[in-house]
Amino acid sequence: MMKILILAALSTASVYFAQTYPVSDIPENLKKNADVVIRKDFTTAHINKIDEIKYQHNTVITVLNKDGDSKAQVYIPYQKGDDISDVKVTVYDESGKKLKSFSKSDFGDFANNTQGVFYSDNRILALPYTSAYYPYTIDFSYQIINENTIFIPDFMPFSSPNTALEAAEFKVINKSGIDLKTKTYPSKYNYASVSVADNGNEKTYSYKNVPAIDDALMLPQPEKILPKVSFTLAKFNLEGKLGTLSSWADFGTWYYANLVEPVSASTPAIKAEVAALKLEGSTEEKVKKIYQHMQSKTRYIFVGLGIGGWLPMLPEEVQKKGYGDCKGLTNYMKTLLNEAGIPSHYCVVNSGSSQVSFDPDFPSMGGNHAILMVPTEKGNIWLENTSQQIAFNHLSYSTADRNVLAVTKKGIELINTPAYTAEQNREKQILKINLTEDNSINGEIQFAYTGSQYDNNLSYAYLSPKQRTDAMKARFDVLNFEKVEMKDFVNDKDNAVIKFNIDFKANNYSKNTGTNLIFRAVPIFTNNYYKSDENRELPFEIGQSFQDEYEIDFIIPKNYKIDEVPENMTINSEFGTYKLNIVKNGESLKVTRFIKINKGIFPKEKYNDYVSFRKKTLNMDNSKILLTKI
């Protein structure tokens, strides 16, 4: 009898510990809007000493459909010196039956960068596995020992939409004797909350049953919706360089001494390079001449070598090779300015479409891009050093309107980059159009773009004339072009303005109503589709403000007169303003269109109000004008 009891106990234990995660166990509310469900995401961080953190990871993800494959990729990012062990991967089918298992030897070892030609110490172990059947579940675990303790990952439920979470846990066991600083950022929308269990040197943070964020139109980035916990050690190591993170000032002096000053040395060749420019005029004029010279002789290539990939290339190397990444090119530009006697600040920024700033009250290592700031009596000059085409003193929408870490000898100063207004993010169209009896139109359109709309059109600068025409034709496909040519393309790098003209002919613009002609008032308009949503669950975001101004002159065909035109219209809303004005002048018709959109995050209750506003603007763009045959 005792043997039977023991066998039964062992059998029960085996079933208990051999979790197979059948899909039927997933709560229905977590399947809603989800491509994947994270069944378990457990990490334990053993902080053993200033130069050692041992991470134990175990993640179990159920992939519900093909769209979830990319969110369940099995990979381990690492750097030289990291110790990776206990790598295990098990794949289960829908019922929880084991299909396959893998070990570390099944992984490929690749460069961890997607930007093409580069040099980097960043590596990635990846398992190239894709299932032919859905749903399936991947149980992935490994251990990694990292000597770089400056980075401890943030703890969020997930980082992408259409992902749900059953349980996540981040446990920190701090045996180092170093103060571990933490900060919890609650969800502004009460979407989820983090639980904390504090047991002295052992703290456990957890999330439970977080539903998926549906990838709805105009959805803010998940990091703006979800809670997170940030961590940093008061003392840290980065590639053998020890430092403190008790304040931005302390961290900044370490950053300058270890990552800026060691690569700031000039050379006789660099001195001669600056001297040959024969700089004259104001500080701004000198900076512009140096900057545009630097642009003309360098190109961007990602380089992730030296002190964890954070140390810039030597300016001498960039000068000789003619390439570098954001760190190297920014450092090279800084060195050129130093030779001209112009001080500047190396700045680290969070680059991306979502505006993410550093927390003034929680110093930590971060950022993913480097730019340069030149202080002058007339204001700061900002330089993006990775583009050969971008204008002087212009930051794109990916780095504007957020703060940066400006690194100086005295420490780090948090400085805001420029925030562009709607008036600065401007499109100007001047159209001269001939209407013909065969329903076609022909003429010329002049375009001009500034601010973030300059950024949106900067890609044309990298294309051949034919490629520009083809791209423009596809972009303005609301017109049925028979022929079109882009000409007079100008990238004004002194004033951050893109200009170009097109000559065109487009068919089927007007329609016949008996012997009369009817056509829309605005030739080029957005064909976005706006749909109301009574069940909107989250706020919506207008990421960029902008202002569009159109001046349209129609020349009507002979033997026709202007019969009916829409009334002038103005629509005011908290989301923006729209105006359409039409003036008859003999055989011509002048239409002016104005729209201004305000950026911001708005509550879900106002989403349908926004849709209504945009539908009204589209309806006005499609207002019809009637010509009567004489």
Side-chain angles (χ1 to χ4, degrees):
M1 184 67 181
M2 182 60 71
K3 289 182 179 179
I4 294 173
L5 290 173
I6 291 172
L7 287 171
L10 290 173
S11 176
T12 301
S14 176
V15 171
Y16 179 79
F17 287 108
Q19 300 181 59
T20 57
Y21 301 99
V23 175
S24 59
D25 285 355
I26 300 175
E28 287 302 315
N29 70 305
L30 296 186
K31 293 179 182 178
K32 181 183 177 182
N33 299 324
D35 296 326
V36 299
V37 178
I38 303 172
R39 317 291 295 277
K40 172 183 177 182
D41 185 11
F42 286 9
T43 297
T44 300
H46 300 266
I47 305 174
N48 297 324
K49 49 186 178 177
I50 194 169
D51 60 353
E52 183 181 297
I53 301 180
K54 180 175 74 173
Y55 294 97
Q56 293 172 303
H57 297 281
N58 184 200
T59 303
V60 181
I61 299 180
T62 294
V63 181
L64 298 176
N65 54 56
K66 189 173 180 61
D67 291 335
D69 284 335
S70 62
K71 300 174 184 177
Q73 293 177 349
V74 180
Y75 63 91
I76 305 170
Y78 74 97
Q79 285 191 331
K80 183 180 179 181
D82 292 345
D83 181 10
I84 302 170
S85 61
D86 299 334
V87 180
K88 298 176 183 177
V89 179
T90 306
V91 183
Y92 300 97
D93 68 8
E94 181 177 4
S95 65
K97 178 183 176 182
K98 178 179 175 180
L99 296 176
K100 291 185 178 182
S101 60
F102 303 92
S103 64
K104 185 178 179 181
S105 62
D106 297 305
F107 282 62
D109 194 340
F110 306 98
N112 188 12
N113 183 63
T114 59
Q115 302 178 61
V117 181
F118 72 106
Y119 302 94
S120 179
D121 285 333
N122 298 316
R123 305 291 299 175
I124 186 169
L125 292 177
L127 179 68
Y129 176 81
T130 302
S131 175
Y133 303 97
Y134 301 90
Y136 65 94
T137 299
I138 294 181
D139 185 347
F140 175 35
S141 62
Y142 68 95
Q143 177 178 290
I144 183 168
I145 299 175
N146 196 329
E147 63 182 20
N148 293 328
T149 56
I150 194 170
F151 306 105
I152 300 176
D154 289 341
F155 181 48
M156 288 177 56
F158 42 78
S159 58
S160 61
N162 303 117
T163 301
L165 172 73
E166 275 195 75
E169 181 179 288
F170 192 92
K171 182 183 292 186
V172 184
I173 302 172
N174 186 8
K175 298 179 180 179
S176 67
I178 303 170
D179 183 27
L180 176 67
K181 299 176 182 293
T182 65
K183 186 167 183 177
T184 299
Y185 299 85
S187 168
K188 294 179 180 179
Y189 308 101
N190 298 316
Y191 195 82
S193 60
V194 60
S195 299
V196 185
D198 190 342
N199 186 20
N201 290 333
E202 182 175 318
K203 294 181 173 65
T204 303
Y205 302 83
S206 58
Y207 300 106
K208 295 277 188 185
N209 297 320
V210 182
I213 295 175
D214 188 23
D215 194 11
L217 289 173
M218 306 179 72
L219 179 75
Q221 295 288 328
E223 62 194 280
K224 293 186 177 181
I225 297 170
L226 296 169
K228 75 172 181 178
V229 185
S230 293
F231 309 87
T232 189
L233 282 173
K235 297 179 181 179
F236 64 85
N237 171 65
L238 179 63
E239 300 287 330
K241 307 292 184 180
L242 306 183
T244 60
L245 254 170
S246 56
S247 68
W248 283 118
D250 287 346
F251 181 49
T253 55
W254 175 89
Y255 202 116
Y256 185 87
N258 290 276
L259 299 177
V260 177
E261 190 174 38
V263 290
S264 63
S266 184
T267 65
I270 291 175
K271 292 178 187 291
E273 181 180 6
V274 174
L277 294 176
K278 298 179 180 179
L279 301 172
E280 295 178 349
S282 66
T283 298
E284 181 178 1
E285 290 170 328
K286 292 176 183 178
V287 175
K288 181 189 291 186
K289 189 166 187 178
I290 296 172
Y291 177 70
Q292 293 181 344
H293 162 76
M294 184 276 298
Q295 282 183 300
S296 69
K297 59 171 293 185
T298 60
R299 59 194 175 96
Y300 174 85
I301 290 181
F302 180 81
V303 180
L305 302 174
I307 310 186
W310 288 82
L311 185 70
M313 289 172 62
L314 288 167
E316 179 182 14
E317 290 184 75
V318 178
Q319 185 196 46
K320 289 180 179 178
K321 296 178 179 178
Y323 64 72
D325 64 4
C326 63
K327 304 184 302 294
L329 294 170
T330 296
N331 183 54
Y332 175 51
M333 182 64 197
K334 178 177 173 61
T335 305
L336 293 174
L337 290 173
N338 286 343
E339 282 300 334
I342 302 172
S344 60
H345 299 323
Y346 182 96
C347 297
V348 181
V349 63
N350 287 301
S351 175
S353 58
S354 183
Q355 293 134 8
V356 177
S357 286
F358 297 96
D359 185 345
D361 301 320
F362 193 78
S364 62
M365 185 68 152
N368 58 6
H369 188 54
I371 56 179
L372 199 65
M373 188 274 282
V374 185
T376 75
E377 292 181 356
K378 295 183 179 180
N380 297 332
I381 295 173
W382 295 93
L383 302 176
E384 168 57 65
N385 302 288
T386 59
S387 170
Q388 295 172 305
Q389 296 294 340
I390 199 167
F392 169 73
N393 196 19
H394 174 81
L395 294 181
S396 72
Y397 58 81
S398 64
T399 52
D401 197 14
R402 67 203 73 196
N403 66 19
V404 303
L405 306 182
V407 184
T408 71
K409 284 184 179 181
K410 297 179 180 179
I412 280 176
E413 183 180 355
L414 274 69
I415 300 176
N416 292 329
T417 59
Y420 300 127
T421 64
E423 292 78 8
Q424 290 171 309
N425 297 332
R426 181 169 172 259
E427 176 190 31
K428 178 77 172 181
Q429 288 187 21
I430 299 177
L431 303 87
K432 298 187 183 301
I433 295 177
N434 299 304
L435 290 154
T436 61
E437 292 188 64
D438 65 357
N439 304 119
S440 69
I441 56 174
N442 61 79
E444 180 184 77
I445 308 177
Q446 300 173 18
F447 298 88
Y449 299 94
T450 59
S452 65
Q453 302 217 56
Y454 168 86
D455 304 323
N456 295 337
N457 288 272
L458 190 58
S459 59
Y460 285 125
Y462 298 91
L463 303 179
S464 68
K466 182 181 184 306
Q467 289 173 324
R468 288 173 186 164
T469 293
D470 291 343
M472 184 273 312
K473 184 177 180 180
R475 174 180 169 186
F476 299 131
D477 60 358
V478 291
L479 289 175
N480 183 20
F481 287 116
E482 177 183 319
K483 62 180 180 178
V484 61
E485 178 187 5
M486 180 191 284
K487 61 181 185 178
D488 305 324
F489 178 86
V490 175
N491 173 19
D492 183 348
K493 297 202 289 185
D494 291 335
N495 300 295
V497 183
I498 292 280
K499 297 178 182 179
F500 58 85
N501 302 329
I502 66 170
D503 287 333
F504 75 98
K505 179 180 180 182
N507 296 322
N508 304 317
Y509 183 75
S510 62
K511 296 186 182 300
N512 295 104
T513 57
T515 59
N516 302 330
L517 294 177
I518 189 169
F519 60 95
R520 66 174 181 266
V522 179
I524 295 177
F525 65 99
T526 176
N527 55 357
N528 289 348
Y529 178 68
Y530 296 96
K531 182 180 179 182
S532 59
D533 184 356
E534 301 300 331
N535 300 310
R536 181 88 186 193
E537 296 179 343
L538 287 167
F540 64 100
E541 181 174 21
I542 302 174
Q544 293 289 332
S545 58
F546 64 88
Q547 181 171 301
D548 295 347
E549 302 170 19
Y550 297 178
E551 295 179 6
I552 310 160
D553 286 312
F554 288 104
I555 305 299
I556 68 173
K558 293 180 179 180
N559 303 321
Y560 282 84
K561 69 175 182 177
I562 302 166
D563 193 342
E564 295 181 10
V565 299
E567 293 184 1
N568 294 338
M569 176 68 71
T570 297
I571 307 171
N572 290 312
S573 163
E574 66 179 303
F575 312 112
T577 301
Y578 177 94
K579 296 179 181 179
L580 186 71
N581 294 308
I582 302 175
V583 177
K584 295 189 289 184
N585 184 19
E587 296 181 352
S588 67
L589 191 70
K590 188 175 186 66
V591 178
T592 58
R593 175 193 187 263
F594 172 94
I595 187 168
K596 175 182 176 182
I597 298 295
N598 303 322
K599 69 181 290 185
I601 296 180
F602 299 89
K604 62 183 181 180
E605 292 80 10
K606 294 187 176 183
Y607 181 73
N608 287 340
D609 294 338
Y610 174 75
V611 170
S612 176
F613 168 66
R614 293 313 304 261
K615 283 183 175 180
K616 288 178 183 177
T617 67
L618 286 179
N619 288 339
M620 291 309 301
D621 284 344
N622 277 289
S623 297
K624 298 300 189 287
I625 297 170
L626 178 66
L627 302 182
T628 303
K629 193 162 188 178
I630 301 173

